[in-house]
Amino acid sequence: MFTTHYLKKIHAWFFPHTCLLCQNPGNNNLDLCLGCLKELPILPQTCPRCAKTLSTIPGLICGNCLQSPPPYEKAFSLFSYEKPITKLIMELKFHERLVNANLLGQLMAHAIQNDWYQNQPLPELIIPVPLHPKRLQERGYNQAIELARPISKILKIPLNSAACRRSKHTLAQARLPAKSRAQNIKNAFTIHQDFSGRHVAVIDDVTTTGHSITEFTKTLKSAGNPKIDVWVCARAVHSK
Ligand SMILES: [Zn+2]
Ligand SMILES: [Zn+2]
């Protein structure tokens, strides 16, 4: 008689990937089925510089970026921060569902490779936005690093998570009103390496107002003026 354990093993042998959203067999070596893949909230075309403002003309830089350019060269976000991406990211951050980071990272790597850069050179280094050691200790991992791992592996771009630190233990940005966020995150990061002449990709899981990314890239920029691109898994499109 087959035990459930044994049946599960046989199932895993034939269907090594299971959709994380509906438990059907995964498609194309992903933990995601084709039906759920098609439903994902891919972010429409945005300003190539900040990925904040939606744009109808390819390559058109938004008024905000023209007026005060961000510290980074270009920014990409794969998803709009809505269902079921919210679920996958919340589970990743608060319930140790690291498999979610693997899936989301794989999807980002696919977009980076096939869409975001076309024939332009990829960054040569991936830098995840650091967590403060206290929060890292509470959570046990940095979700931005977990997202970066599969991307680094697939694209063969080294990951550097040691050179940058979050030295100020800030309140969670999500709990603060938009206007207090810039102040809360100010001077929160320190960089311990010179990045002169480098082209780096900064990676984070979610951005809402973008204050953390701006502050982090501003600090990183001061460490040798590297060329910085920003890769974000999901962006909340309704807030400014
Ligand atoms: Zn599914
Ligand atoms: Zn812009």
Side-chain angles (χ1 to χ4, degrees):
M1 202 178 123
F2 290 139
T3 61
T4 323
H5 174 70
Y6 191 61
L7 283 175
K8 269 190 183 159
K9 258 188 144 172
I10 294 180
H11 184 268
W13 186 33
F14 284 107
F15 304 107
H17 295 279
T18 304
C19 179
L20 294 175
L21 294 168
C22 74
Q23 277 70 52
N24 277 327
N27 171 60
N28 202 13
N29 291 326
L30 291 175
D31 291 327
L32 189 72
C33 74
L34 195 57
C36 289
L37 175 68
K38 284 182 179 164
E39 294 295 308
L40 292 181
I42 300 278
L43 195 66
Q45 193 162 263
T46 51
C47 162
R49 194 77 205 256
C50 66
K52 284 184 197 171
T53 324
L54 298 182
S55 122
T56 46
I57 303 165
L60 188 76
I61 293 173
C62 77
N64 285 343
C65 288
L66 287 175
Q67 214 167 33
S68 54
Y72 42 86
E73 209 80 14
K74 36 186 160 182
F76 303 94
S77 175
L78 183 53
F79 299 111
S80 154
Y81 192 50
E82 53 191 278
K83 274 203 303 194
I85 295 300
T86 36
K87 176 181 179 305
L88 291 174
I89 289 181
M90 295 299 261
E91 285 177 352
L92 163 64
K93 276 168 100 156
F94 304 110
H95 301 283
E96 294 183 39
R97 291 273 291 172
L98 299 182
V99 283
N100 295 11
N102 194 42
L103 172 67
L104 294 169
Q106 284 173 313
L107 295 171
M108 286 175 78
H110 187 269
I112 293 161
Q113 217 163 17
N114 300 296
D115 184 23
W116 294 356
Y117 283 81
Q118 306 286 340
N119 294 320
Q120 293 171 52
L122 286 172
E124 44 176 310
L125 195 64
I126 300 177
I127 302 181
V129 173
L131 277 188
H132 187 269
K134 203 173 157 205
R135 190 152 295 145
L136 187 64
Q137 201 181 24
E138 285 163 9
R139 192 169 291 164
Y141 53 92
N142 174 352
Q143 71 280 358
I145 298 181
E146 298 307 319
L147 269 179
R149 275 188 223 286
I151 301 177
S152 162
K153 199 170 147 198
I154 295 166
L155 303 180
K156 299 186 177 64
I157 303 175
L159 182 63
N160 181 333
S161 56
C164 308
R165 294 199 197 123
R166 197 172 193 129
S167 36
K168 184 171 140 194
H169 186 52
T170 53
L171 296 165
Q173 289 283 86
R175 292 193 193 151
L176 293 172
K179 59 178 178 4
S180 319
R181 293 183 184 189
Q183 191 54 41
N184 181 52
I185 201 77
K186 204 167 190 290
N187 302 325
F189 303 99
T190 45
I191 316 288
H192 303 269
Q193 196 178 318
D194 183 66
F195 288 100
S196 305
R198 310 296 302 270
H199 179 194
V200 306
V202 163
I203 186 162
D204 209 359
D205 56 338
V206 181
T207 142
T208 46
T209 55
H211 289 309
S212 304
I213 286 280
T214 303
E215 182 66 22
F216 181 58
T217 50
K218 201 171 82 186
T219 316
L220 187 57
K221 197 83 186 156
S222 69
N225 195 27
K227 181 178 172 188
I228 305 171
D229 295 353
V230 170
W231 297 343
V232 171
C233 181
R235 148 170 297 285
V237 279
H238 302 296
S239 59
K240 276 194 178 162

